[in-house]
Amino acid sequence: MKNLKLYSMLLAAGCFLILSVSCRKAPSPTLTAQIDGLKSEKIYVQYIPLNISDSVLYDTLQAENGKFIYTRPFNSLAQLIIEVDKDRVLDSRGQWEAPEAYRMEFLVQAGETIQIEGKYEDGFLSYVATGSEEIAVQAALRNESKELCKEIAKVEGQLKELYAKELQEMDETLADSLYERRAKLIEQQSQKRLEYVKNHADKVLSGFYLLLYPEIDTIEAYYNTLSEKVRNGDLKSKFEKALSYANLKKELERNRAKVIAGAMAPNFTLLNLEGKAVKLSDLKGKYVVLDFWGTWCSWCVKGIPSMKKYYDQYKKKVEFVGIACKDKKEKVEAMVKEKDMKWIQLLNGEGAENVSQLYGVEGYPTKIILTPEGEIVDRFIGEDEDFYTKLGQCLRK
């Protein structure tokens, strides 16, 4: 009897264990996708909560026979970006990213679930999405932009090929034309989203689309057309940042209008790489060249050999002053050493010490020639041979 009782107890415990295990439910899918033409591939997902600054959550999934499931709960308003491994390419910034023609991207709201059915066709990943009304709208608007997405991908591919060449072999005119072409295509694509914004002022998707718009002036112009609920909701901090940037842009334009030929150059003080303060007014008595540049700027780097040549030729008559912008001291120090850049090198600051903002610099490199008295002779945007011609003319007077 004792053995029978022990057996019964063990049997009951085993049943409880089985029941406990079976009651542990697998996480519910928040997104399910079936893509024709997709096999067993890695899927990379970025989940970006929009109510938390600079927060990105990364996940890696595995597709099987074209299907994959995502189970991270959508707990807040977020941007969701999904990329297939085979579609990703290394861009000019050194980052792996799928072109928009192959990228799945959504604004998702808390509690949302999404089902995607898609297929690869003619250089494009088209898909329909079901879930909320806004989810379906996003997929539909993207499919309407199919040809624009493909053209943007083509232009970006040409830019990638261009940047793969040695810097000195790069065709600047072609690069500029490709950037201009891409900007126009993105503008056309954005217009489709802007139509949605105009007609759906009370939708959070309108706020999201507006923030994606490439022109900050348009964001500012349409901001007040949105409902108060959208403006003061989860996107509030994003709008505040965008509007702050709009004010900085206006200030930049005002400064740019004042820093013109014949005007006196605004004085400033910045630190050099040794941490010593250098004041512009202390350099009077010689011509001065202000070179706003960055290690991240390929055209700036391409122009270094020409700067070295003219520095060696004119250093007794001209103070060459490099002002590294949007850069880190270590990177600037490394490049200055590597390229043997012997002229004055300063680090642009933030706030009151942002000399790039003070001078209304809109593109890099920007070079400005000053007379020995501190008067502006001219300014040149890009790696422009006219700069060297003008500098030579000044010094031959």
Side-chain angles (χ1 to χ4, degrees):
M1 292 293 291
K2 287 182 179 179
N3 289 339
L4 181 60
K5 185 176 181 181
L6 177 62
Y7 176 76
S8 299
M9 290 173 63
L10 290 172
L11 184 63
C15 290
F16 177 75
L17 179 62
I18 293 170
L19 285 170
S20 297
V21 171
S22 65
C23 287
R24 292 176 188 168
K25 293 182 180 179
S28 298
T30 49
L31 181 145
T32 305
Q34 181 71 53
I35 310 294
D36 290 348
L38 175 65
K39 298 180 181 177
S40 297
E41 298 275 355
K42 278 188 178 179
I43 309 295
Y44 295 97
V45 182
Q46 295 178 55
Y47 179 75
I48 309 170
L50 296 177
N51 57 349
I52 306 173
S53 297
D54 303 320
S55 175
V56 184
L57 303 174
Y58 297 94
D59 293 294
T60 303
L61 313 176
Q62 183 68 46
E64 296 293 343
N65 298 318
K67 182 177 181 178
F68 61 89
I69 295 172
Y70 189 57
T71 59
R72 182 184 290 280
F74 299 149
N75 294 323
S76 65
L77 189 70
Q79 183 179 8
L80 188 70
I81 301 173
I82 305 167
E83 298 176 339
V84 179
D85 187 41
K86 70 182 180 68
D87 297 331
R88 300 170 100 204
V89 294
L90 196 63
D91 65 15
S92 59
R93 301 166 296 167
Q95 297 178 356
W96 288 97
E97 186 177 70
E100 191 174 354
Y102 295 111
R103 192 164 65 242
M104 290 170 273
E105 189 168 355
F106 297 97
L107 175 74
V108 297
Q109 301 190 52
E112 199 129 49
T113 58
I114 306 171
Q115 294 80 43
I116 298 174
E117 292 186 10
K119 60 181 177 179
Y120 285 92
E121 54 178 359
D122 192 24
F124 186 73
L125 172 56
S126 62
Y127 55 82
V128 294
T130 54
S132 66
E133 179 185 341
E134 285 85 357
I135 290 295
V137 165
Q138 290 174 76
L141 282 177
R142 180 184 175 278
N143 288 337
E144 287 177 20
S145 299
K146 174 180 177 179
E147 295 306 319
L148 286 171
C149 286
K150 288 169 60 179
E151 190 62 27
I152 290 169
K154 178 181 175 182
V155 172
E156 289 177 343
Q158 291 172 310
L159 281 167
K160 183 189 172 189
E161 289 177 9
L162 200 61
Y163 276 90
K165 297 179 179 179
E166 292 294 328
L167 274 176
Q168 301 307 319
E169 297 176 5
M170 288 178 66
D171 186 334
E172 294 179 45
T173 303
L174 175 58
D176 288 344
S177 67
L178 287 171
Y179 277 120
E180 186 177 343
R181 171 69 174 153
R182 184 178 68 170
K184 287 180 179 178
L185 291 167
I186 291 173
E187 171 70 19
Q188 291 177 46
Q189 183 186 51
S190 299
Q191 282 293 328
K192 292 181 179 294
R193 294 171 179 161
L194 193 59
E195 284 301 316
Y196 181 86
V197 174
K198 291 175 182 177
N199 296 315
H200 301 85
D202 61 336
K203 298 290 187 182
V204 69
L205 180 59
S206 291
F208 179 68
Y209 276 163
L210 187 57
L211 286 166
L212 292 178
Y213 205 85
E215 294 295 330
I216 193 68
D217 293 345
T218 300
I219 297 176
E220 188 178 37
Y222 280 88
Y223 170 72
N224 285 321
T225 69
L226 298 173
S227 70
E228 185 177 350
K229 180 185 74 173
V230 174
R231 294 199 308 269
N232 294 322
D234 287 335
L235 295 175
K236 182 178 179 179
S237 64
K238 301 293 182 184
F239 278 121
E240 287 173 347
K241 188 174 181 179
L243 295 174
S244 175
Y245 180 77
N247 289 331
L248 284 174
K249 185 174 182 247
K250 289 177 183 177
E251 181 188 26
L252 185 85
E253 290 168 351
R254 289 193 296 269
N255 292 343
R256 171 68 182 84
K258 292 185 286 186
V259 182
I260 57 176
M264 294 302 295
N267 194 26
F268 62 81
T269 302
L270 290 176
L271 298 180
N272 64 16
L273 297 179
E274 290 73 43
K276 180 182 176 182
V278 176
K279 189 180 293 185
L280 177 63
S281 57
D282 291 342
L283 304 178
K284 285 185 178 180
K286 283 185 178 182
Y287 276 92
V288 175
V289 168
L290 301 178
D291 178 27
F292 293 87
W293 74 292
T295 61
W296 46 268
C297 166
S298 57
W299 302 126
C300 304
V301 176
K302 183 178 180 181
I304 290 173
S306 295
M307 282 288 282
K308 289 177 66 174
K309 174 184 172 182
Y310 278 81
Y311 170 78
D312 290 338
Q313 185 175 351
Y314 294 123
K315 59 187 175 185
K316 292 183 179 179
K317 299 180 180 180
V318 183
E319 287 286 6
F320 288 78
V321 181
I323 302 176
C325 303
K326 306 176 185 178
D327 230 324
K328 293 184 178 179
K329 182 181 178 181
E330 308 82 63
K331 289 188 175 182
V332 177
E333 286 176 326
M335 182 160 288
V336 166
K337 182 178 180 181
E338 177 192 347
K339 303 293 185 183
D340 193 26
M341 300 159 66
K342 296 178 179 177
W343 52 95
I344 297 170
Q345 296 294 337
L346 306 178
L347 297 169
N348 189 47
E350 300 295 332
E353 295 180 331
N354 189 338
V355 178
S356 176
Q357 179 80 4
L358 178 65
Y359 274 71
V361 173
E362 299 170 293
Y364 297 86
T366 287
K367 295 180 174 65
I368 301 176
I369 302 173
L370 310 180
T371 68
E373 295 74 35
E375 184 179 305
I376 297 167
V377 175
D378 211 340
R379 69 189 291 152
F380 303 85
I381 300 175
E383 192 54 31
D384 192 342
E385 281 299 319
D386 289 346
F387 160 72
Y388 298 105
T389 301
K390 187 68 173 182
L391 182 60
Q393 291 172 352
C394 290
L395 298 175
R396 285 195 295 269
K397 289 181 180 178

